Amino acid sequence: AEIKHGRVAMAAFLGYLVQSTPFVSGPHSKLPYSGYEPGLTPPEQWDAIPLAGKLQIFTLIGMLESYGEILDVHYCNGGLPGYYPPIKGNRPEIWFNLYDPFNWFDESKDKVFGRQCEINNGRLAMLGILGILSEAKVPGSVPAISGLIPEYSGNVMAPFSGDFTLF
């Protein structure tokens, strides 16, 4: 589970940095989605996405998760942790695998070292994304990045709070 959480944290950390750039959050000649507003921080960009778009994102994540669980030998029962089965060729519209789409990496060499590097990078990314979110919610809470992250008044722990509520 640590490998999976580390991969998600690495994607979240890099995604936050990329979404903070003017190239992504700035004005566009063609709007990426309805309700898009330029100049928003990454958490505010998430809040601006319509409910249907958020549900599409979570549906895709659920499909990828369920596909990763269909292995013959599950990682909890002796399978390889972090292994994701190739998806290339399973459907005509899927041309690439998620990991290593161009076959640049040789899986056979330095596998143990590479796995340890991935775990360490994932741990650092978990600290990084939580530090950024903490600084956005409580300015000054992370002295190293104090003043670099804009304040966010929403709730990052309730991703659908602006769309509907159960209580």
Side-chain angles (χ1 to χ4, degrees), residues 20-68:
S20 298
T21 63
F23 179 73
V24 175
S25 66
H28 294 284
S29 58
K30 183 176 189 253
L31 296 180
Y33 55 87
S34 63
Y36 176 81
E37 299 173 28
L40 298 178
T41 64
E44 291 169 340
Q45 291 173 22
W46 172 260
D47 291 342
I49 295 175
L51 178 62
K54 292 177 185 176
L55 293 177
Q56 289 174 6
I57 292 168
F58 277 100
T59 300
L60 176 66
I61 292 169
M63 291 168 56
L64 291 173
E65 282 287 322
S66 64
Y67 184 75

Side-chain angles (χ1 to χ4, degrees), residues 6 9-10 13 118-131:
M10 287 186 273
F13 183 79
E118 182 180 17
I119 290 172
N120 289 337
N121 289 339
R123 289 173 180 166
L124 186 61
M126 287 183 229
L127 291 173
I129 190 64
L130 288 175

Side-chain angles (χ1 to χ4, degrees), residues 75-135:
Y75 64 88
C76 290
N77 297 327
L80 180 64
Y83 175 74
Y84 194 82
I87 63 172
K88 179 182 177 182
N90 286 346
R91 294 188 50 97
E93 64 270 8
I94 300 176
W95 299 342
F96 301 106
N97 287 318
L98 291 176
Y99 175 75
D100 193 16
F102 303 111
N103 297 322
W104 287 347
F105 304 106
D106 183 12
E107 286 278 327
S108 61
K109 66 175 187 176
D110 298 331
K111 190 177 278 192
V112 174
F113 178 73
R115 182 88 37 177
Q116 191 59 46
C117 287
E118 182 180 17
I119 290 172
N120 289 337
N121 289 339
R123 289 173 180 166
L124 186 61
M126 287 183 229
L127 291 173
I129 190 64
L130 288 175
I132 287 175
L133 294 175
S134 298
E135 179 64 30

